[in-house]
Amino acid sequence: MSLSSRTGGTAIVVLGLVLSAFHVRTVGVLWGAPARVVVNGLLPLVLATFVVAAGVKLVRNDVVADQFVTRVLSWVAVGVVVLAAATAWMFASVLVTGPLPANATLTLLNAATLGGLIGYLVGVYDARRREQQVQVDQLNRINNTLRIATREIVNADTRSELEQQVCERLQQSEPYESAWIGRYDPEDSELRPDAWAGLDDEYYESVVIAVDGDDAHGQGAGGRAVRTGEIQCSQNVSTDPSMEPWRELFAEHGVESVAVVPLVDGDTVHGILSVYADRPYVFDEPEREVLMELGETIGHDITSLEAREQLRRRERELASQNDRLEEFASVVSHDLRNPMNVAEGSISLEREDRDSDALQRAADALTRMNELVEDILALARTGQLVSEFASVDLRAVVEDAWATTETETATLDVEPSLGTVSGDESRIRELFENLFRNAIEHAGDDVTVSVGSLDDADGFYVADDGPGISPADRERVFDVGYSTNPDGTGFGLNIVRSIADAHGWDVTITESDAGGTRFEFSGVETDAARPVDEQVA
């Protein structure tokens, strides 16, 4: 049985006071004989006073930890009994040869006083040595537990797997009898175990922790841990009034001390880790520090696992979106092109026999529809992320794009050393084709288009000497269908931004040196190729 420092110290104080009262009485009786007063009265009184002082220090918990108080009291009892027994044995020897001394009782009590003080000192020395050994063993055990639990955290792929593995590893570590983890949702008023190990399932299914401190089920260590974000311990559940709602359950399963660790990441509380021990006073300061570190590690990993799960969901959504875009492109390509080709052929045949303004308008409308189909197909394709990056000669791609664009009398001015970028060559060429067409549509056939490298960042620009784009419209021009040209489709610049986004580039619009429009692309990879683990699927 373990006694608290208060209980054990009080017992020693009472013993010291009883002995002091007797020795004070003795001093009064022997006051006329100075030598006897000093030897049989004052000196024992001083020893008894030391016993009282020792008990007071024990009450204040200044001497040893609670789990060693019983050990100290045992040594006090041994000291009292041994010296008193030795003195009695001496008197018994005297009794064989003659009568007992007149002050035999006084001598026995003096011996008991000295024995109690000596026993206390020996007990404190023994308890401290034992405490040091326990601390060494405890630190070794804690470090081993933390190492194993941390390894499980690193290897876990899901939050459920992480929580279950941590509980199982802690339960296997002496002196822990059980461990469970409950998830915290700020919108819920109660918290229940979600993963556990050690006790039967029925026990965990019966545990309810209230978050509200006004509820009796929220005044225990679990509710306090959630509200404060700090570890909470009950070193002896049988005497802790805050653990009253669960005391019968604890007694039934042999639980004597509890530590509840909040699983935190910054200001976020993900849940709590409850650890049970089968003896009291297990969770001292070193133990609490390590468990709090473990709780923070689990909290950080839960945040990481949730972020990874969100990323996986986003990747699945993107894959599904790409599938829908592919299906859409297929429908557009097959179901629209075929009837359009029939209509174009019919109009062409009819115009061979007779031509008219109506047929001309119909032919122009079909040409316009073909342009829209091409842009819609391009838009569907450019909405997909780039998965394979290669080294692209930027100047060569610019010149190829210019050659395939109806540039009329427009002029291209390309910086000699554009270098290479990492990306998809076909889609980068499509980006330039759309920019060149946009410049000619809005600035005229005699526009001058310049392509060069950015001075203050990794990237490039495409600029013209046309009328430019007002600051108020610079974001709107990227919207699908937005165009200031009545003959434009409104898809070109949206395709440009989609291709930039697919490569992870940033695109902004500013004014060129000539007063026209300047498109700047930053964040451009200049390496020959990205490592495989950096590619975006």
Side-chain angles (χ1 to χ4, degrees):
M1 181 183 68
S2 297
L3 297 176
S4 67
S5 295
R6 180 181 295 275
T7 302
T10 301
I12 293 177
V13 168
V14 171
L15 173 64
L17 289 174
V18 171
L19 292 173
S20 297
F22 176 81
H23 294 310
V24 167
R25 177 178 175 279
T26 301
V27 169
V29 172
L30 300 177
W31 189 253
R36 294 182 64 191
V37 167
V38 171
V39 174
N40 292 323
L42 292 179
L43 285 179
L45 179 60
V46 170
L47 294 178
T49 303
F50 279 131
V51 172
V52 174
V56 171
K57 287 183 67 67
L58 196 61
V59 168
R60 294 176 177 175
N61 204 18
D62 294 337
V63 183
V64 296
D66 284 352
Q67 59 261 47
F68 300 105
V69 170
T70 302
R71 200 177 188 90
V72 173
L73 287 178
S74 299
W75 276 107
V76 170
V78 168
V80 170
V81 171
V82 167
L83 280 186
T87 304
W89 175 74
M90 181 186 66
F91 285 158
S93 298
V94 171
L95 185 60
V96 173
T97 57
L100 287 173
N103 57 353
T105 302
L106 176 63
T107 303
L108 281 172
L109 288 173
N110 289 347
T113 303
L114 179 61
L117 185 59
I118 292 175
Y120 174 82
L121 295 175
V122 172
V124 170
Y125 173 76
D126 176 66
R128 286 182 174 174
R129 285 192 59 188
R130 176 58 180 164
E131 185 175 13
Q132 290 175 353
Q133 183 60 47
V134 168
Q135 288 177 348
V136 171
D137 295 341
Q138 180 189 50
L139 289 175
N140 290 334
R141 174 181 58 77
I142 291 173
N143 289 334
N144 185 59
T145 299
L146 182 61
R147 176 180 57 81
I148 294 175
T150 302
R151 183 181 63 196
E152 298 299 334
I153 291 172
V154 172
N155 293 334
D157 293 325
T158 65
R159 180 173 178 177
S160 297
E161 180 184 356
L162 163 68
E163 292 170 343
Q164 187 60 42
Q165 288 178 352
V166 168
C167 290
E168 291 175 356
R169 288 300 181 182
L170 288 176
Q171 186 270 330
Q172 294 168 7
S173 175
E174 196 276 334
Y176 303 149
E177 183 182 17
S178 167
W180 62 267
I181 289 178
R183 299 183 182 183
Y184 171 61
D185 186 341
E187 297 182 357
D188 293 338
S189 59
E190 294 181 343
L191 182 151
R192 297 175 180 270
D194 291 286
W196 55 77
L199 304 179
D200 54 83
D201 294 347
E202 289 76 11
Y203 168 79
Y204 299 107
E205 292 169 355
S206 66
V207 173
V208 179
I209 304 297
V211 177
D212 187 356
D214 295 332
D215 191 309
H217 287 80
Q219 296 175 3
R224 297 198 306 270
V226 172
R227 293 191 299 274
T228 64
E230 298 177 355
I231 186 172
Q232 302 292 324
C233 295
S234 177
Q235 294 283 45
N236 191 337
V237 297
S238 63
T239 60
D240 186 347
S242 70
M243 307 305 286
E244 175 64 30
W246 307 278
R247 190 167 293 165
E248 291 185 5
L249 279 173
F250 288 153
E252 181 181 346
H253 292 86
V255 178
E256 296 198 34
S257 57
V258 173
V260 182
V261 186
L263 308 180
V264 297
D265 182 19
D267 295 332
T268 302
V269 178
H270 290 292
I272 58 173
L273 165 65
S274 291
V275 184
Y276 297 165
D278 57 4
R279 58 177 180 265
Y281 308 109
V282 168
F283 303 103
D284 57 10
E285 187 62 29
E287 192 105 356
R288 291 195 296 268
E289 290 179 358
V290 172
L291 286 175
M292 192 64 197
E293 180 182 346
L294 177 61
E296 293 175 353
T297 302
I298 296 173
H300 297 331
D301 201 61
I302 289 175
T303 299
S304 176
L305 288 171
E306 290 181 345
R308 276 186 274 172
E309 180 58 30
Q310 290 178 354
L311 180 59
R312 284 193 289 265
R313 285 199 300 268
R314 179 56 179 160
E315 289 176 346
R316 290 193 294 269
E317 291 172 358
L318 288 173
S320 177
Q321 182 183 37
N322 287 341
D323 291 341
R324 290 195 300 271
L325 287 171
E326 288 286 354
E327 182 180 357
F328 170 72
S330 176
V331 170
V332 170
S333 177
H334 182 270
D335 294 352
L336 290 183
R337 282 187 184 276
N338 286 346
M340 286 172 58
N341 289 338
V342 172
E344 285 181 337
S346 299
I347 291 174
S348 178
L349 290 174
E350 183 65 24
R351 294 183 69 183
E352 289 180 0
D353 296 336
R354 60 183 182 86
D355 200 359
S356 67
D357 292 340
L359 291 175
Q360 180 62 47
R361 287 194 298 272
D364 292 342
L366 287 173
T367 301
R368 174 70 169 165
M369 291 177 67
N370 268 317
E371 292 175 356
L372 287 170
V373 169
E374 290 292 340
D375 284 343
I376 290 173
L377 288 173
L379 186 60
R381 185 172 63 254
T382 56
Q384 302 178 22
L385 298 177
V386 176
S387 59
E388 295 183 1
F389 287 78
S391 180
V392 179
D393 184 339
L394 202 56
R395 180 182 176 88
V397 170
V398 168
E399 292 176 344
D400 288 344
W402 186 262
T404 57
T405 304
E406 296 181 5
T407 55
E408 302 294 338
T409 58
T411 304
L412 175 65
D413 182 10
V414 186
E415 186 178 293
S417 56
L418 280 179
T420 60
V421 299
S422 182
D424 184 310
E425 180 174 344
S426 173
R427 294 167 75 175
I428 294 175
R429 181 172 63 248
E430 190 172 1
L431 177 144
F432 283 111
E433 289 173 347
N434 279 278
L435 287 173
F436 295 157
R437 282 197 297 269
N438 180 77
I440 294 170
E441 286 177 3
H442 293 84
D445 295 341
D446 59 348
V447 66
T448 297
V449 179
S450 303
V451 181
S453 301
L454 297 179
D455 295 330
D456 56 353
D458 290 334
F460 58 88
Y461 68 86
V462 178
D464 62 52
D465 58 357
I469 301 174
S470 67
D473 292 333
R474 288 176 183 172
E475 280 300 318
R476 296 177 60 200
V477 297
F478 290 115
D479 294 342
V480 174
Y482 180 84
S483 177
T484 59
N485 187 336
D487 294 328
T489 64
F491 290 117
L493 292 184
N494 185 268
I495 292 173
V496 168
R497 186 167 65 176
S498 296
I499 295 174
D501 290 343
H503 284 81
W505 303 343
D506 294 321
V507 55
T508 56
I509 300 176
T510 61
E511 184 177 321
S512 68
D513 294 339
T517 303
R518 173 174 163 126
F519 294 87
E520 294 186 351
F521 298 86
S522 57
V524 178
E525 291 275 357
T526 56
D527 295 335
R530 292 183 177 181
V532 174
D533 59 352
E534 292 184 5
Q535 294 180 5
V536 183

